Amino acid sequence: METVEMNSVSLKRPRSEDDVASADEIKRQKILEKSKAGNDSGQSIENIPERPEDTKSEIIPNEESEEQEEEELEDSDEDGDPESFADMMKHGLTESDVGITKFVSSHKGFSGILKERYSDFVVHEIGKDGRVSHLDDFSVPVDDEVNFEDPSEETFTVLSDEDKQRLEELQLFKNKETSVAIEVIEDTKEKRTIIHQAVKSLFPGLETKTEDRDGKKYIIAYHAAGKKALANPRKHSWPKSRGSYCHFVLYKENKDTMDAINVLSKFLRVKPNIFSYMGTKDKRAITVQEIAVLRNITGTDDQIEQAMHSLREIGFINYYGMQRFGTTAVPTYQIGRAILQNNWNEVMDLILKPRPGAEKGYLVKCREEWAKTKDPAAALKKLPVKRCVEGQLLRGLLKYGMKNIISAFGIIPRNNRLMYIHSYQSYVWNNMVSKRIEEYGLRAVPGDLILKGATAVHIEEGDVDNYTIHDVVMPLPGFDVIYPKHKIGEAYKEMLVADNLDINNMRHKIRDYSLSGAYRKIIIRPQNVNWEVVAYDDPKIPLFTTDLDKLEGKPLPVLPTEKENMASTTIEKKEVTRDLDHCDIPYYVSEFVERELGNDYDSLGKLDSLIEKLSENKKHLEEQVLTVSSEVPKRIQNALKNAEDSKKSLSQLLEEETVLSESISSHLLKAQPWMEELDVVIGQVEEIERHLAYLKWISRIEELSDSIQQYLMTNNVPEAASTLAFMAELDIKLQESSCSHLLAFIRSTVKFWHKILKDKLTSDFEEVLTQLRWPFVGPPQSQAFGLAAPANAPEVYNNLETLFCQLLKLQTSDELLTKPKQLPEKYPLPPSPPVVLPIQIMLNPLQKRFKYHFTGNKQTNVLNKLEFSRALVMLILEKLAADIPCLLYDDTLFCHLVDEKMDSMLSSEAAWISQYKDITDVDEMKVPDCAETFMTLLLVITDRYKNLPTASRKLQFLGLQKELIDDFRIRLTQVMKEETRASLGFRYCAILNAVNYIATVLADWADNVFFLQLQQAELEVCAESDTVSQLQLGQLASMESSVFDDMINLLERLKHDMLTRQVDHVFREVKDAAKLYKKERWLSLPSQAEQAVMSLSSTACPMLQTLRDRLLQLEQQLCHSLFKIFWQMLAEKVDLYIYQEIIMANHFNEGGAAQLQFDMSRNLFPLFSHYCKRPENYFKHIKEACIILNLNIGSALLLKDVLQSASENESLKPSQPSATAALNELGVYKLAQRDVEILLNLRASWPNTGK
């Protein structure tokens, strides 16, 4: 944890620092020159010189453009006058805008200028051991003495020329070998040692080992760090004697930490993430906080003393400062709120729209271009520096398109994106703290939160005296925090509801934007605070010396005695401990005299006037005490009388409240029956209103239909077309309705009139096109001379325009009724808007010509005329062949590629096609290429980290794999939702196959020894950290769960949802096709004896055909395991539907029962015989119902008697057969006794038995 001590802060009237720029530049240049040779100071940084066996490549090729951008960015920062923070905020927010409205004390305030010069703000880090970091040394550390021996002459001769050639090719990756074996002729330890030394010294980057092969000794040379060992040979030069880290102190002026790190990484040619540090320090400061200066103070000495005493004794409200919310007119918390609301269009607009206030010129031009064109490419051209947030977002929009803002926004670095939502948390926290202080003041109250360890608990009524305001914390909103139990808890909820957010659901669908929350103290009391008021007459003179000034031997600044300008310098020091329980009069007197007169002995002459002033103050205070002493008894007496009167009034009000409450309760009890009756009436009224609305819709559709008919009868085609367009819009509005019959009625009406109008207008339009001799397919010259304009050209052109406009009115209904043409699924091109109807008609003759020339056996349809296109494809392949090796072995590019790989997996042309589709035995799971590629990526990651030495590092990589799996699942879900309307389509099935494949592979991996070891390691980590429950620990220890259980459960849930959607879709089709079969006249069908041959019912054909077609379709598109689940779920629903809706809803004569049994056993059941041996076992309701309905009369009468007897007698006689045994004897096991009795009653033509 990092601690910051505040020593001095300066505030001064805003002024340019141009006049001191030269001196500052010289100082910065000295730091830069010395930092190359030695340690720098201020902030502890760790520079990690990675070793060959555990590092990645540090060389980043093609960095010229990035460096150029950095230089341009630096140049742009130097243009113009530097701004103070107050300057930057004058066009932006005020403190009240972000909830900063309260103070800890009530003394009169005064004004000053903070951070006028960056040198007014000095920060020093404090380590855990309490040591303050200082820049105090420029010397270069000396390495420990190491003995380096020159290689012996035998080292250069022990290897043959052939061995050297092979080793050089291995070192430079010029052959396909992964190792080189050198036979040891003289097998001695000394000889082997010399060969080992020769290989390592002559060929850096190679490692050696000794192996026995066929009874001979060989020295095996190989790459220890793989092909990446050549990427940066400099990293091999770091001496092992120096340890793994280079610790140094960073001193920086007028730069934040990231800027300073970027400068160091640029000159050292390493990546910025090689540096380790704690937190980012202010840019407008010299950061080696020990001193802070407040300039141009307007307050009196007493006011300053009161303010500083308040700071030391009470502290300050721990508000988030203004820089947290940005320095422009668009606060960062507004962007964070839009992210949490999933309002990505607003996120894009807030970042890119023009804004008032001072900004770099290129940013202003970029925003203006965006507001004018909404074109990412055009706006990006206005940015010379594209690594800013605006540039990164524009690049993302250019790459992913305007409809995929989430992915475009994801290009912005994660820390920058999280800054926005953290800003919103800070905004809420500030407002809630202000409200809490306004409501309860600076004291702890019941319901407040305090921290016990890392856990927040509420203050109970009895414990409130044990805590002060300095113990109270307030939560930043999130899913892992609790809220105060008083009014402020409700205020949190109200504020988030006003922002369209749910305080109980702060998890975002994108994991990075889920807010877990945190706790922050309301009041902070700084330690070891001291201060001094000084006067100065030159604003350019620094008021204290920095570490660099001390190293350069600069003297302390000379300050004037007159208080022309005053500055308060606050210094945090450790003070001598005093006993606060005793009044130390001498100490206070000496402190007061020193403060008033200072250390100048010449000022002692002022002591008389000071004593006289103090005497007058004492006299005045004594008079006030006497006055107050005489008034206190009267005030106490009046207060007691008022309290007694208030008590009586309160008692009277309580009695009236009790009477009123009893009256209300009695009235509510009497009104309860009326309310129940009223609820029933209201329900009936609402149902009538729904029926009335339904009838109104039907009436409206019929009125529109009648209007179209009247318009056509009067040849008013334009009005008819307009009315049809309006009816089509109504159809679109009704799509979300559940009234299927109403939807079918309006769709059929639209279809009827659309066909009539389209045929009429198409005929007239084609006639006009014929008059104009369309299409114009000849050259322009022949058209000019060969085609004369028709005699009535103006009339023809007028008709063309009129018909074109009328056809456009039919566009809505045409798109509603016409299914767009789709390319084959192996060419998954993005959807394009439909061609307008008149253009379609004009394209018809051109399409006929194209089909004539480029299909069939025409000479124009020759594939060898596509050489130009094929040549372009070859160029692309050559480019990929050259670039892929670079991508594979460059860490920076490869890591960036992994992020983009997820999108490319799902957007490639072959993403949903199985690469083994033509190999039946291999393509059993029908795995799409995107799933295969993704699992290969996970496998490669596993292979890379499985040999790491520590389990903790392996668990980190396992967490990365889980995040990748969850991200891929979310992407699959998003693609699936786009395909929901075509749940039986090829792409939807491919997504389902992908989900099933990933879940299956993860289940197999869970039993792998490597992942079982990781599970054991995770168990040990969780047991030490107490982050999981005892139940979860027990499951991990007993191996009941696995490391992938959470991912597998989510994938299984997604798979079940998708399968259910498919089953429901097919079942709806089957129900629609079974409507006629449901209405079959089962009571009057001829018996089996009256028919020559039994045949399938004609009304059953549509239902069975639908079942057959869908089963065949999905058998081809789903893998075997998924299809098995599908047909079993479908069979269960069909079984219940036929049993409940057809069998139980009809009566059957002998012929009807026989026909039903024939339809089911000879037609329905065989449809499923391809997938199991006994399909009737999946239709038990139907099978057993057919048995009951087709019993002969005698058996049916006997069974009926048995069932009736069993119902009448609760305990059967031993000689009487049980109902269950009788049913089992007939083969009925599924149906209950009551269901069998109902089925027997559905049989017609029972003989008259006299009962």
Side-chain angles (χ1 to χ4, degrees), residues 85-340:
F85 184 67
D87 293 330
M88 292 187 282
M89 292 303 298
K90 63 187 177 184
H91 296 289
L93 302 172
T94 63
E95 283 84 354
S96 60
D97 292 332
V98 296
I100 303 176
T101 59
K102 299 299 176 184
F103 300 91
V104 296
S105 56
S106 59
H107 63 77
K108 184 177 181 180
F110 55 89
S111 65
I113 300 175
L114 181 66
K115 275 195 191 180
E116 179 181 14
R117 306 179 79 246
Y118 61 76
S119 57
D120 287 346
F121 201 72
V122 178
V123 179
H124 291 268
E125 269 195 3
I126 303 176
K128 292 182 178 179
D129 57 356
R131 185 175 60 85
V132 180
S133 297
H134 283 282
L135 178 65
D136 53 10
D137 189 7
F138 279 151
S139 62
V140 181
V142 180
D143 287 332
D144 295 336
E145 185 174 345
V146 181
N147 294 323
F148 296 99
E149 297 182 359
D150 294 331
S152 62
E153 182 178 354
E154 192 175 2
T155 301
F156 298 94
T157 60
V158 71
L159 297 175
S160 65
D161 292 338
E162 181 183 356
D163 291 336
K164 292 178 180 179
Q165 178 68 23
R166 293 168 60 205
L167 288 169
E168 182 179 1
E169 291 177 351
L170 175 65
Q171 184 191 33
L172 300 178
F173 297 99
K174 292 184 178 180
N175 56 20
K176 297 182 179 179
E177 297 181 15
T178 58
S179 62
V180 169
I182 303 171
E183 183 179 357
V184 183
I185 305 300
E186 301 176 11
D187 185 14
T188 63
K189 183 176 181 181
E190 293 76 11
K191 188 70 172 180
R192 294 197 301 271
T193 302
I194 293 172
I195 295 175
H196 283 295
Q197 293 175 345
V199 173
K200 292 181 178 180
S201 60
L202 298 178
F203 303 97
L206 297 184
E207 294 290 338
T208 57
K209 60 183 178 180
T210 305
E211 288 186 1
D212 287 328
R213 295 183 179 179
D214 301 328
K216 297 180 180 180
K217 293 282 187 178
Y218 288 86
I219 304 297
I220 309 300
Y222 61 94
H223 273 293
K227 293 187 178 181
K228 289 186 242 178
L230 291 181
N232 189 0
R234 291 188 300 136
K235 66 185 178 184
H236 299 285
S237 63
W238 184 267
K240 295 184 178 180
S241 62
R242 294 183 183 176
S244 301
Y245 299 90
C246 175
H247 297 268
F248 62 92
V249 178
L250 175 66
Y251 177 100
K252 60 187 183 65
E253 294 186 4
N254 202 26
K255 282 187 180 294
D256 63 26
T257 304
M258 281 308 302
D259 288 340
I261 292 299
N262 287 334
V263 171
L264 287 177
S265 64
K266 175 181 175 182
F267 282 100
L268 297 177
R269 301 291 296 172
V270 296
K271 291 181 286 188
N273 60 6
I274 201 173
F275 296 92
S276 299
Y277 53 89
M278 294 296 292
T280 56
K281 303 297 179 287
D282 295 317
K283 171 183 175 183
R284 288 193 58 77
I286 297 176
T287 346
V288 200
Q289 175 153 13
E290 187 176 38
I291 302 177
V293 177
L294 187 66
R295 294 178 182 256
N296 283 19
I297 300 172
T298 61
T300 65
D301 291 345
D302 289 339
Q303 291 172 348
I304 296 172
E305 286 296 314
Q306 288 178 346
M308 299 309 297
H309 274 290
S310 173
L311 175 65
R312 184 170 64 185
E313 303 301 330
I314 302 176
F316 56 90
I317 303 176
N318 196 19
Y319 284 124
Y320 286 99
M322 298 301 293
Q323 287 178 315
R324 186 81 168 188
F325 307 100
T327 59
T328 66
V330 178
T332 53
Y333 73 81
Q334 291 185 2
I335 302 174
R337 177 170 56 201
I339 293 172
L340 296 175

Side-chain angles (χ1 to χ4, degrees), residues 687-930:
E687 184 176 1
I688 293 172
E689 288 178 344
R690 288 195 296 270
H691 293 168
L692 182 59
Y694 189 92
L695 294 174
K696 285 181 178 179
W697 273 102
I698 294 177
S699 175
R700 191 175 188 184
I701 295 167
E702 290 179 342
E703 288 175 1
L704 292 174
S705 180
D706 292 341
S707 298
I708 294 174
Q709 184 177 5
Q710 292 295 329
Y711 288 138
L712 289 178
M713 291 175 64
T714 57
N715 203 26
N716 191 352
V717 178
E719 289 298 328
S722 300
T723 307
L724 179 60
F726 181 70
M727 187 185 295
E729 291 174 358
L730 292 181
D731 189 337
I732 295 172
K733 290 180 180 178
L734 280 174
Q735 290 306 305
E736 297 181 358
S737 172
S738 59
C739 302
S740 57
H741 296 292
L742 180 61
L743 291 173
F745 174 65
I746 190 171
R747 180 61 58 86
S748 60
T749 307
V750 171
K751 185 175 182 181
F752 174 79
W753 289 117
H754 176 78
K755 185 177 185 308
I756 293 175
L757 284 170
K758 183 178 179 181
D759 291 346
K760 176 176 176 54
L761 292 174
T762 300
S763 175
D764 295 343
F765 192 64
E766 288 176 345
E767 183 178 348
V768 172
L769 292 176
T770 303
Q771 293 176 10
L772 294 173
R773 296 184 175 88
W774 174 264
F776 312 136
V777 294
Q781 295 81 3
S782 63
Q783 293 178 22
F785 294 101
L787 297 178
N792 55 344
E795 181 182 353
V796 173
Y797 293 148
N798 185 47
N799 291 340
L800 177 67
E801 181 180 357
T802 302
L803 291 170
F804 195 97
C805 295
Q806 292 174 3
L807 282 168
L808 281 178
K809 293 180 179 179
L810 301 185
Q811 185 67 28
T812 303
S813 57
D814 190 70
E815 292 177 8
L816 197 64
L817 299 172
T818 306
K819 185 177 182 180
K821 293 183 179 179
Q822 299 280 346
L823 285 174
E825 293 185 351
K826 61 181 179 180
Y827 307 120
L829 296 176
S832 58
V835 181
V836 295
L837 188 56
I839 299 299
Q840 293 179 26
I841 299 170
M842 296 178 70
L843 288 175
N844 284 337
L846 296 175
Q847 290 173 347
K848 291 179 181 178
R849 289 174 179 268
F850 184 86
K851 290 179 180 178
Y852 177 82
H853 287 288
F854 296 101
T855 58
N857 298 322
K858 307 296 185 299
Q859 292 184 355
T860 50
N861 185 29
V862 180
L863 290 179
N864 58 17
K865 293 186 178 181
L866 300 176
E867 289 299 322
F868 179 72
S869 300
R870 297 221 301 254
L872 290 178
V873 173
M874 291 304 298
L875 286 175
I876 295 173
L877 293 176
E878 291 174 6
K879 173 65 175 172
L880 288 175
D883 288 350
I884 285 177
C886 297
L887 293 174
L888 287 177
Y889 302 115
D890 186 284
D891 288 334
T892 303
L893 293 176
F894 182 76
C895 293
H896 182 66
L897 185 65
V898 168
D899 189 41
E900 297 183 343
K901 183 73 174 174
M902 305 290 281
D903 288 330
S904 62
M905 286 180 192
L906 301 176
S907 60
S908 66
E909 292 184 357
W912 307 108
I913 301 173
S914 172
Q915 55 183 322
Y916 310 111
K917 63 179 180 178
D918 298 325
I919 310 174
T920 306
D921 55 342
V922 177
D923 195 41
E924 182 180 354
M925 297 193 72
K926 294 182 171 61
V927 184
D929 186 66
C930 62

Side-chain angles (χ1 to χ4, degrees), residues 315-493:
F316 56 90
I317 303 176
N318 196 19
Y319 284 124
Y320 286 99
M322 298 301 293
Q323 287 178 315
R324 186 81 168 188
F325 307 100
T327 59
T328 66
V330 178
T332 53
Y333 73 81
Q334 291 185 2
I335 302 174
R337 177 170 56 201
I339 293 172
L340 296 175
Q341 292 171 345
N342 266 321
N343 191 346
W344 295 102
N345 286 315
E346 184 176 354
V347 172
M348 176 179 66
D349 185 55
L350 287 172
I351 294 176
L352 297 178
K353 70 178 182 180
R355 55 188 67 174
E359 273 195 313
K360 301 297 181 185
Y362 56 81
L363 272 177
V364 174
K365 294 177 182 178
C366 171
R367 298 186 192 282
E368 290 175 349
E369 183 67 28
W370 172 258
K372 181 171 63 176
T373 64
K374 296 295 181 183
D375 182 0
L380 197 58
K381 289 181 180 178
K382 302 293 183 181
L383 283 179
V385 181
K386 299 177 176 58
R387 294 171 66 183
C388 58
V389 170
E390 291 82 1
Q392 289 163 333
L393 178 56
L394 288 170
R395 283 195 292 183
L397 293 172
L398 197 60
K399 178 177 180 180
Y400 295 106
M402 300 289 287
K403 293 185 178 179
N404 195 356
I405 302 175
I406 297 178
S407 298
F409 185 71
I411 283 185
I412 299 174
R414 184 174 183 270
N415 285 346
N416 291 41
R417 289 183 276 123
L418 296 184
M419 173 192 69
Y420 293 123
I421 58 175
H422 292 163
S423 175
Y424 177 73
Q425 283 182 300
S426 307
Y427 169 71
V428 174
W429 194 89
N430 280 1
N431 279 278
M432 292 299 102
V433 166
S434 295
K435 193 171 186 67
R436 192 260 175 233
I437 294 175
E438 178 182 357
E439 190 72 32
Y440 300 110
L442 298 178
R443 59 188 178 88
V445 298
D448 273 334
L449 293 172
I450 57 166
L451 288 178
K452 289 190 175 179
T455 305
V457 296
H458 292 99
I459 299 179
E460 301 298 335
E461 184 76 38
D463 297 333
V464 70
D465 294 334
N466 298 331
Y467 302 102
T468 69
I469 190 64
H470 297 92
D471 301 313
V472 177
V473 297
M474 290 275 281
L476 282 85
F479 60 79
D480 200 23
V481 295
I482 59 176
Y483 297 90
K485 284 186 176 179
H486 43 57
K487 294 180 181 179
I488 307 305
E490 287 299 316
Y492 269 99
K493 184 176 181 180

Side-chain angles (χ1 to χ4, degrees), residues 526 677 753 965 992:
E677 294 175 3
W753 289 117
I965 294 169
L992 184 52

